[in-house]
Amino acid sequence: MPKRKLKYEDCVDLIDLEIAKRRGKWNLKVIKWMDFDDVSQILRFHIFKKWHLYDQSKPLQPWLNRTISNQIKNLIRNNYGNYAKPCLKCAASEHEDMCSIYGTQNSACPLFRNWEKGKKNAYNTKLPVSLDVHIIEFKSKQSEELNFEKAFEQITEKIQPLLKPTEKKVFQYIFIEKLTEEQAAKKLGYRTKEKTKSPGYKQVKTILKCISVKARKLLDDDEIVF
C-alpha cells in the first residue's frame, strides 16, 4: 500500500516549531508595522503555497528551514531595500554620506536623483531614521552567510532543462564563458541593420530576459539553497 502523502495540516506543529526558532533572531524591530507574529503568519502562508514543491521522499525539516530562511530574506529585502537610497548598494558609497565619484551622496548622481524624485518621500514617511544602519548590517551578514558560488552552481544545473537550445548557448556564452553580449551574438551568427546597435543586440537581450525569468522562478520557488 503506497505511503500517504503528508498534507500541510499534518505538519502544522512542526512548522510552527521551526518558525518559532527564528523569533530570537528577528532583531529588525525598526519595522514598526511588522512584528514577529506578522512574520510568522506570512511564513505559514508562504509554506502552504509552496507545499506542492516539497519532495516527500526527503526529510521535511531541511526543506522547511530553507523555505523559511529564503522567505525571511525576501521580507527583509522587500521591506528595507525598496525605499532605501541607492547609495547603500553602490560600490562608490563611503562613510558619512560620502561618495567616491560625486564627493557626497547627492542629486548629481542620476540614481540618487531618481530616488529623490520617487522613493524618498515614502522612505521618510514609512521608515525609521535608523534604517540605513540596519540595511548595512543586514548586507554585511548576508554576504557572510550566503554562498553565491554554490547558488550559481545550482542555478546552472537546474535551469538547463528549462532552457531552449538557443537559450542554453547564450547562457553558456554569457555566464560561463564570460563573453560580452556582442561576442555572444557573433558566435550565434546574429546580424543587425541598425548602425547604432551592436550585431544581435536585440536578439541577445530578448534571450537574456527569458533566461532571467526562468532563473527568477527557480529562486521564487525556493529551488536554490544559498
Side-chain angles (χ1 to χ4, degrees), residues 137-152:
E137 289 176 353
F138 167 66
K139 288 188 175 297
S140 174
K141 291 178 182 177
Q142 188 181 47
S143 62
E144 293 172 3
E145 295 173 0
L146 301 187
N147 189 332
F148 290 104
E149 185 175 339
K150 177 183 175 184
F152 179 72

Side-chain angles (χ1 to χ4, degrees), residues 4 72 83 100 115 137 151 161:
R4 186 178 74 88
I72 285 176
Y83 301 105
S100 62
W115 172 75
E137 289 176 353

Side-chain angles (χ1 to χ4, degrees), residues 19 74-75 78 84 121 179 208:
I19 291 174
N74 289 339
L75 288 171
N78 293 339
N121 288 337
L179 300 183
L208 284 173

